[in-house]
Amino acid sequence: MTEIVKYSMFIDGKWVEAKDGRRLTSINPATGEVWASFPEAGASDVDDAVRAAHRAMTEGPWARMTATERGKKLRRLADLLAAQADALAKLETTDTGKLIRETRSQTRYTAEYLNYFAGAADKLEGTTLPIDKPDLFVMTLREPIGVVAAIVPWNSQLMLTAVKLGPALATGNAIVIKASEHGPVPLLELARLCAEAEIPPGVVNVITGLGDPCGQALTRHPLVARIAFTGGPSTARHIVRNSAENFGVVSLELGGKSPILVFEDADLDSAVNSILAGNFGATGQSCVAGSRVYIQSEVFDEVIGRVADRAKRIRVGNPLDETSEMGPLATEGQRINIERVVAASVKEGATLVTGGARPASQPRGWFYEPTILTCPDPDVPSARQELFGPVLSAFRFKDEAAAVAAANDTEFGLAAGIFTRNSGRSLRVMRQLRAGIVWINTYRASSPLAPFGGYKSSGSGREAGQDSLLDYTRTKTVWIDTATKPMGDPFIMR
Ligand code: NDP
């Protein structure tokens, strides 16, 4: 029997248990076996974490630290993260089933996100205003917004935390991070690195527990001023309602059902490889998965044939094995949902080109084959619902107008891909797509410099890039009377 690794939470610089001693377990998705346990925080534990964060940013050394010093702490954290990338990647792969090749390179790149925000820490400036009144000098300052509640899902949790923790700390805030019940371990390791980087106690707190009560208590807490959420739209609705209790500023990075458009003049090698990356990379468990693929009729059979040919040859296997190309799904519930939706889609007229079953080679764990459906109708369930798995729904289109209309016919608006050699068309189509990120002749690229976020039910607010820093600050306006005479009688109008 595998020995279960026991983790604690990190509150106010100390490793603690839930006050009532309750614990949860994490399952290794490649084996279906419990491999780690961690505390199940209740409302009182959440209160401790938020109060510790509030003290740290109002009374502790963090409150007095210069922006340059804060940047150095973040840079130190980035260095530690990069140095520990291999070990962290192994833990993340065990916790969530994501391929070791993916977790290792993503962890290294996560360090670059922290470096980006470290460099920005002392570059935020205030303004002086050419005010429309004599003898008054008016300036604005950018101040920390307050305690940040960061809520992240189980996929890419280090990266999704870095885009919240980086700007929060660079601008002088303290943060309480609620890890997902399905994959908290990498974030508890991140907490250890924060202590090693000598980020003062209370500035970064990592708590573990269930959405309700832990996430609920955190997002409703009166001392929380900023809520940065990544997850699904139905959870986001709870969060927005909870924010009515503290009027916290909310950013939402939600899911997607992103379209990839392939025109008949496209470079088909790029299109095929992008469709594969956009649907089977990370086992399709990516918010930007390009899971609705629209292909112009002239090249439909060739593109689908080539994608299916490679999909059949994807090596599905143990995510810790360097030669595996696709791992398991993170939870059993996802696989059950995907099986149900694929069956319903076939019943409603979709044709299974490949996949649609559990791979015979993997009897244990939550594996599912790379799956391609061709769809006669935009309303088949696989084309409407975010599945968060390796399932692609493909459609034919006749012309540009039909492709744009079909691509926009969704409640989501996170990302989109356009494949064409016609630059005029690529820009024309890009302007018409209701999506926060558009990739032209490429897919799934990201950078700390590039804002990330969606339209419509894919959320609001942007992570990464300069604007995201400002979202963790408030503007203070300061008025100074420079006149030599005292202020006049307020009841005499001039
Ligand atoms: P969920 O929305 O189920 O959960 C996200 C987080 O919210 C988890 O930590 C969860 O805790 C917590 N939570 C659940 N209920 C509440 C509540 N009532 N109050 C506060 N917090 C709560 O998403 P998944 O974990 O299933 O992740 C998949 C979703 O995330 C997909 O929709 C995906 O598209 C989206 N996503 C979006 C990204 C983006 O940048 N746009 C990137 C990656 C994923 P617990 O785990 O304990 O339930």
Side-chain angles (χ1 to χ4, degrees), residues 276-407:
L276 288 161
N279 282 284
F280 307 129
T283 317
Q285 300 170 114
S286 160
C287 51
V288 293
S291 53
R292 291 183 299 136
V293 178
Y294 298 92
I295 306 167
Q296 203 154 16
S297 299
E298 291 84 338
V299 290
F300 183 89
D301 291 340
E302 180 178 354
V303 172
I304 285 300
R306 288 177 60 181
V307 173
D309 179 53
R310 182 67 182 92
K312 284 179 198 155
R313 289 184 290 111
I314 290 175
R315 282 195 298 272
V316 180
N318 181 350
L320 283 169
D321 182 340
E322 296 285 347
T323 63
S324 294
E325 294 176 328
M326 211 179 89
L329 293 157
T331 67
E332 189 177 19
Q334 274 169 275
R335 184 167 68 172
I336 292 168
N337 183 47
I338 289 171
E339 286 175 333
R340 191 179 50 78
V341 170
V342 169
S345 304
V346 170
K347 205 165 164 200
E348 290 185 26
T351 303
L352 202 51
V353 178
T354 185
R358 301 176 181 194
S361 62
Q362 302 298 327
R364 296 196 312 159
W366 323 134
F367 291 88
Y368 192 76
E369 290 175 340
T371 298
I372 300 175
L373 293 162
T374 53
C375 305
D377 166 359
D379 288 324
V380 295
S382 67
R384 287 283 174 214
Q385 297 172 29
E386 185 190 35
L387 292 178
F388 230 58
V391 180
L392 168 177
S393 299
F395 300 85
R396 289 172 194 272
F397 69 82
K398 247 189 0 230
D399 57 28
E400 191 178 304
V404 169

Side-chain angles (χ1 to χ4, degrees), residues 151-153 178 180-181 209 211 215 230-232 235 253-255 287 386 388:
I151 306 218
V152 286
K178 184 217 160 299
S180 163
E181 69 187 274
T230 303
T235 313
E253 296 292 344
L254 311 180
C287 51
E386 185 190 35
F388 230 58

Side-chain angles (χ1 to χ4, degrees), residues 451-467:
F452 185 101
Y455 287 26
K456 304 194 280 185
S457 292
S458 291
S460 58
R462 293 292 178 268
E463 293 193 319
Q466 286 293 308
D467 289 356

Side-chain angles (χ1 to χ4, degrees), residues 15 69 238:
W15 293 102
E69 283 174 302
H238 286 289

